[in-house]
Amino acid sequence: MQHDKILILDFGSQVTQLIARRVREAHVYCEIHPNDVSDDFIKTFAPKAIILSGSHASTYEDHQLRAPQAVWDAGVPVLGICYGMQTMAVQLGGKVEWSDHREFGYAEVRARGHTKLFDGIEDFATAEGHGMLKVWMSHGDKVTELPPGFKLMASTPSCPIAGMANEDKRYYAVQFHPEVTHTLQGAAMLTRFVRDIAGCRGDWIMGDYIAEAVAHIRAQVGDEEVILGLSGGVDSSVAAALIHRAIGDQLTCVFVDHGLLRLNEGAMVMEMFAGRLHAKVVHVEAAEQFLGHLKGVTDPEQKRKIIGREFVEVFQAEAAKLKGDGNKGAKWLAQGTIYPDVVESGGTASKKATIKSHHNVGGLPETLGLKLLEPLRELFKDEVRELGVALGLPHDMVYRHPFPGPGLGVRILGEVKPEFAELLKRADHIFIEELRKTVDEATGKTWYDLTSQAFTVFLPVKSVGVMGDGRTYDYVVALRAVQTSDFMTADWAELPYALLKKVSSRIINEVRGINRVTYDVSSKPPATIEWE
């Protein structure tokens, strides 16, 4: 690629990917790599600028967690964030110490020094005329002595050095997190850094990216056959459309009905892809196979691994059936893996804690015999949707709520039983149907469009109820609806009581076997969006 590039060095923060997302929003290409990459890697990468992420560690405890020397030798702008600021200070001659006044959450920072990074950027001014920024802090250590050549750029009462800069070298650092939405001017700061200070062109645009991606896929694949696991979700759908644009009939989509799909999913997927997009789609009925292997399994990680393993077995079998020229068969397995999948599976840095494994990340055995094609691996969800629109996919397909690869297997808590799956399919269908029908008067949008992800969870517990004059002892489901811009953090959606009441009434009356409906009001973090 000929784009200007930003290198983000990851020191193990759970929100490093948000830095990348904000940079991409400024239409600048960037990549995240572990902080301990080699000097040669940095030289070869040739970044226009470097950003150092936050971390859970302390500079005085983990002496190995440092930026490579090539960062300081590259002659490009460097931005340190939180721990990135602290390691910049230590490595360039300053001091960092433990603080007896930690800052976690909202803070108001006074801008100082009239630096280019903050020029014209403020949330409000004090009576004395000081420019103030509303930011998000998350630190227990602090810089106590500036490195030589640096000046003070920001401060708070409890953190006298909340920002520093050496403008001769174009080094900037902030103790707060500009990548999170809670820092109101954070996007403006990152845009200022990558576009103005680093001088990057704003040429990372999904419509233009199609030609690059198509050329790259053609160069990778050549004249070989590709098999793609199609779930009907946004990611695999966009991956299928992109690969089909690149290689046409060399692509065969395999749609696996594992018995854990949404209601009427199979018919919809086949009509959409085989009927409307005219792609080659093989429909595999495998519910008995998947549910058989899941019998008696309750651990969520084990369920994910089993579902991933069975997917691989199905793909291997279907790939062997595809016969190309010279009886070669399929050589590539394509997947709709996206960046958050990789990040949450601990796939970008060994220092990051794994939140949950994804069946399509790092779960492919060497015996698979297929090369891996993941054209969306470096894209965030919003970029995938933009790409889908640019490819001409229908709006309803592209903006459909995310659906996990393991399907309802991770929305049925505990053991996955066929009867549980049937109850959940019907309850979830009612919930989504009512979200699509209910319009918010203030915005004119349906509540399906106002939520980023909504679904129903089956709980393996029974509760006492009463219907008519009789006692019931049936199952419980939980409704989950969240609003988010990046799927790395999320707030629960404040759905109207009337909507929740109607959904609850319909589920209890129409789905025999469920007599209680609850609503999940947990945010991410501390909870995840999915329950398992």
Side-chain angles (χ1 to χ4, degrees), residues 3 124 207 229 389 392 409 488 491:
H3 300 284
F124 67 96
V389 171
M488 302 312 301
D491 291 323

Side-chain angles (χ1 to χ4, degrees), residues 217-281:
I217 292 168
R218 287 173 179 168
Q220 272 189 286
V221 172
D223 61 356
E224 295 177 331
E225 298 276 337
V226 178
I227 186 173
L228 178 142
L230 181 63
S231 70
V234 176
D235 304 331
S236 65
S237 298
V238 174
L242 180 60
I243 297 170
H244 189 261
R245 172 80 65 93
I247 60 173
D249 285 345
Q250 289 172 245
L251 170 68
T252 299
C253 299
V254 177
F255 173 61
V256 181
D257 188 346
H258 47 34
L260 298 169
L261 300 172
R262 290 168 285 200
L263 192 66
N264 302 321
E265 183 102 2
M268 186 203 69
V269 169
M270 292 303 294
E271 189 279 330
M272 189 178 296
F273 285 90
R276 295 170 65 176
L277 296 182
H278 307 294
K280 290 195 298 185
V281 185

Side-chain angles (χ1 to χ4, degrees), residues 431 434-435 438 447 495-504:
F431 185 29
E434 290 301 328
L435 286 172
T438 307
W447 273 100
L495 300 180
Y497 289 155
L499 171 58
L500 290 172
K501 182 177 182 179
K502 187 171 185 180
V503 171
S504 174

Side-chain angles (χ1 to χ4, degrees), residues 10-47:
D10 182 16
F11 290 84
S13 169
Q14 292 289 352
V15 294
T16 299
Q17 65 277 13
L18 295 185
I19 303 173
R21 188 171 179 274
R22 300 291 173 255
V23 172
R24 300 271 186 95
E25 286 175 349
H27 301 297
V28 175
Y29 182 74
C30 62
E31 291 182 14
I32 298 174
H33 291 278
N35 76 282
D36 55 1
V37 294
S38 67
D39 288 351
D40 287 341
F41 173 87
I42 294 176
K43 293 173 186 175
T44 302
F45 189 88

Side-chain angles (χ1 to χ4, degrees), residues 126-139:
T126 65
E128 296 80 15
H130 302 313
M132 302 294 292
L133 297 164
K134 297 180 179 180
V135 305
W136 190 259
M137 290 281 197
S138 181
H139 69 101

Side-chain angles (χ1 to χ4, degrees), residues 112-334:
R112 296 174 178 267
H114 303 287
T115 61
K116 188 172 183 179
L117 184 66
F118 290 165
D119 185 28
I121 297 176
E122 67 177 38
D123 287 304
F124 67 96
T126 65
E128 296 80 15
H130 302 313
M132 302 294 292
L133 297 164
K134 297 180 179 180
V135 305
W136 190 259
M137 290 281 197
S138 181
H139 69 101
D141 301 334
K142 62 183 180 182
V143 175
T144 56
E145 184 177 315
L146 291 171
F150 279 75
K151 66 179 180 180
L152 183 64
M153 186 171 66
S155 66
T156 70
S158 59
C159 187
I161 304 177
M164 63 184 192
N166 181 331
E167 296 205 279
D168 290 336
K169 293 187 175 181
R170 296 183 294 172
Y171 293 168
Y172 298 86
V174 293
Q175 188 58 68
F176 56 85
H177 288 267
E179 69 272 31
V180 301
T181 55
H182 306 78
T183 297
L184 301 187
Q185 299 293 338
M189 295 173 198
L190 288 168
T191 299
R192 171 70 54 77
F193 179 73
V194 300
R195 295 292 295 273
D196 298 338
I197 295 172
C200 292
R201 295 166 293 174
D203 59 359
W204 178 249
I205 300 168
M206 286 297 99
D208 299 336
Y209 174 71
I210 292 174
E212 290 180 18
V214 164
H216 185 63
I217 292 168
R218 287 173 179 168
Q220 272 189 286
V221 172
D223 61 356
E224 295 177 331
E225 298 276 337
V226 178
I227 186 173
L228 178 142
L230 181 63
S231 70
V234 176
D235 304 331
S236 65
S237 298
V238 174
L242 180 60
I243 297 170
H244 189 261
R245 172 80 65 93
I247 60 173
D249 285 345
Q250 289 172 245
L251 170 68
T252 299
C253 299
V254 177
F255 173 61
V256 181
D257 188 346
H258 47 34
L260 298 169
L261 300 172
R262 290 168 285 200
L263 192 66
N264 302 321
E265 183 102 2
M268 186 203 69
V269 169
M270 292 303 294
E271 189 279 330
M272 189 178 296
F273 285 90
R276 295 170 65 176
L277 296 182
H278 307 294
K280 290 195 298 185
V281 185
V282 176
H283 189 178
V284 182
E285 294 283 356
E288 187 174 338
Q289 174 183 341
F290 278 79
L291 292 172
H293 285 287
L294 289 168
K295 188 174 182 180
V297 178
T298 59
D299 180 74
E301 280 298 292
Q302 283 299 312
K303 289 195 289 186
R304 286 179 177 273
K305 286 179 169 60
I306 289 170
I307 292 169
R309 182 192 70 205
E310 295 309 309
F311 265 117
V312 170
E313 289 193 7
V314 171
F315 288 140
Q316 283 178 309
E318 293 304 319
K321 297 176 185 178
L322 297 176
K323 305 301 180 182
D325 294 335
N327 203 35
K328 294 178 181 178
K331 299 297 183 183
W332 294 83
L333 171 62

Side-chain angles (χ1 to χ4, degrees), residues 47 117 147 163 189 209 246 250 296 331 339 408 440-441 449 467 505:
L117 184 66
M189 295 173 198
Y209 174 71
Q250 289 172 245
K331 299 297 183 183
Y339 213 14
L408 301 182
D440 174 57
E441 293 183 3
D449 292 329
M467 291 186 182
S505 177

Side-chain angles (χ1 to χ4, degrees), residues 431-447:
F431 185 29
I432 299 303
E433 186 175 66
E434 290 301 328
L435 286 172
R436 289 188 181 277
K437 286 166 52 177
T438 307
V439 177
D440 174 57
E441 293 183 3
T443 63
K445 297 181 178 180
T446 70
W447 273 100

